[in-house]
Amino acid sequence: MDTAPHPLTGQARRLAEVLLAPHAQRVDQEGVPLSHIDALRGSGLLGTSAPTAYGGAGAPDAVAREVQEILAGACCSTWFVQTQHHTPVRLLARSDSPARDSLLGPLATGALMAGIAYAHVRAFPRVLVRATPQGRGWRFDGAVPWYTGWGLNDVMLLAGISDEAEVVFAFADARDRPGLEASPPMRLAALSASRTVSLTLDGLWLPDASVVLRAPQETWARHDAARGANASPAVFGVAYAALRLLEQASDTGTASRALRARLDEVRRRAYALAEHPEPEEHVAERLSLRTQAYHLMRTATTAAVVAGGGRTMGLDHAAQRLAREGLFLLIQGQTAQARSAHLRSLTAAVDQLRCPPLEDSV
């Protein structure tokens, strides 16, 4: 028996249909506006996974995935800014840090919006940001190559690595201050609208009360790799958006039906594994489904461009935007393990395309 949709998925669909999708082309060229962030703050979606005791919705992970899929398919730039928020919320919900009581409530209700600055930790043993104990706090020095949502979010979850190879996560205000300086917004092939910058850290000091996690780098990397093996809901969101464009073309029925059926199956299997109680099990299968989702997204966005013809090269056409967004999603949240699996899959696909040798003409 079918169950009723969760209220948050309905809210996400309304936001996508009324605001995000109609303005996605303009946002892609001009940037995510504060009005979009304000709409997200008031929607309840920023508290999707936050505990109800702190003002969040406490929704199941399946609902959180569907919400992210809907938002990414409507406006990937806006999705990318807000998706940063949910990792700090989940981390705080599991923490006994003093930061939990001061920040989790405002983050759960949307009064504050968070960004993340920790992808650089995946470069270990290279240390791009050094965390050093200093007094009753930590000093952070180095460079964060990638920080999204500058000027849109209020706080950030910053990570550095200590001399003892311990990963230290702490909250900081997301603004220029002594010890913290942001670059101008980056020009990117896709999602330039997301206000992504690099950060220079020169003696940024944060108190112990702002620290939300300290863990051995090896332990953190193992958990991060397990999370990174799962297919991203955003990949499915962009793929389905491309299929909707494809289905609008008059002569693509067979292709769109075949792609949709395959995408539905990969999504079903990927989400079933994401629900598995042991996140570090079935990693090979998770990675396989992740790469299959990439291939299907790339095929769907390419098909939408092909079906639309020359007009898709205009910046006002959704097909080229979706194709660029798909290109970006190939590397978003990428771990070394996921990158290797994806490259192996691409190599195997090339091998299947080998043509038989041409016979010499007589």
Side-chain angles (χ1 to χ4, degrees), residues 304-327:
V305 170
V306 172
R311 65 183 182 275
T312 64
M313 292 299 100
L315 292 177
D316 60 345
H317 200 286
Q320 54 79 26
R321 171 177 58 81
L322 291 168
R324 288 186 290 106
E325 290 170 352
L327 182 69

Side-chain angles (χ1 to χ4, degrees), residues 270-282:
Y271 285 1
L273 273 180
E275 290 288 334
H276 194 279
E278 296 297 334
E280 295 184 31
E281 292 185 3
H282 305 288

Side-chain angles (χ1 to χ4, degrees), residues 172-352:
D173 290 337
R175 58 178 175 79
D176 283 316
R177 54 185 289 191
L180 169 61
E181 182 179 358
S183 73
M186 297 180 185
R187 295 188 63 191
L188 306 173
L191 275 68
S192 280
S194 63
R195 303 199 195 187
T196 296
V197 300
S198 61
L199 302 175
T200 300
L201 306 173
D202 184 11
L204 176 66
W205 186 86
L206 299 174
D208 286 332
S210 71
V211 175
V212 68
L213 176 68
R214 291 172 56 185
Q217 185 278 332
E218 184 177 356
T219 301
W220 181 85
R222 186 175 68 251
H223 294 317
D224 182 58
R227 287 191 300 268
N230 289 317
S232 167
V235 171
F236 295 111
V238 168
Y240 281 121
L243 283 181
R244 288 192 289 273
L245 284 182
L246 184 61
E247 288 162 354
Q248 293 170 10
S250 60
D251 58 349
T252 60
T254 300
S256 62
R257 284 193 297 272
L259 274 170
R260 182 173 288 277
R262 181 60 182 149
L263 189 63
D264 287 346
E265 175 61 15
V266 171
R267 178 183 183 272
R268 182 189 66 79
R269 293 174 57 195
Y271 285 1
L273 273 180
E275 290 288 334
H276 194 279
E278 296 297 334
E280 295 184 31
E281 292 185 3
H282 305 288
V283 171
E285 186 177 359
R286 294 173 196 265
L287 287 169
S288 174
L289 289 166
R290 177 185 169 109
T291 56
Q292 288 178 60
Y294 283 146
H295 293 322
L296 289 165
M297 176 187 66
R298 190 178 69 249
T299 301
T301 56
T302 302
V305 170
V306 172
R311 65 183 182 275
T312 64
M313 292 299 100
L315 292 177
D316 60 345
H317 200 286
Q320 54 79 26
R321 171 177 58 81
L322 291 168
R324 288 186 290 106
E325 290 170 352
L327 182 69
F328 173 84
L329 290 176
L330 296 181
I331 54 88
Q332 189 264 332
Q334 184 186 67
T335 64
Q337 186 181 37
R339 178 170 56 247
S340 296
H342 195 176
L343 289 173
R344 288 194 301 270
S345 178
L346 290 170
T347 301
V350 169
D351 289 341
Q352 293 175 2

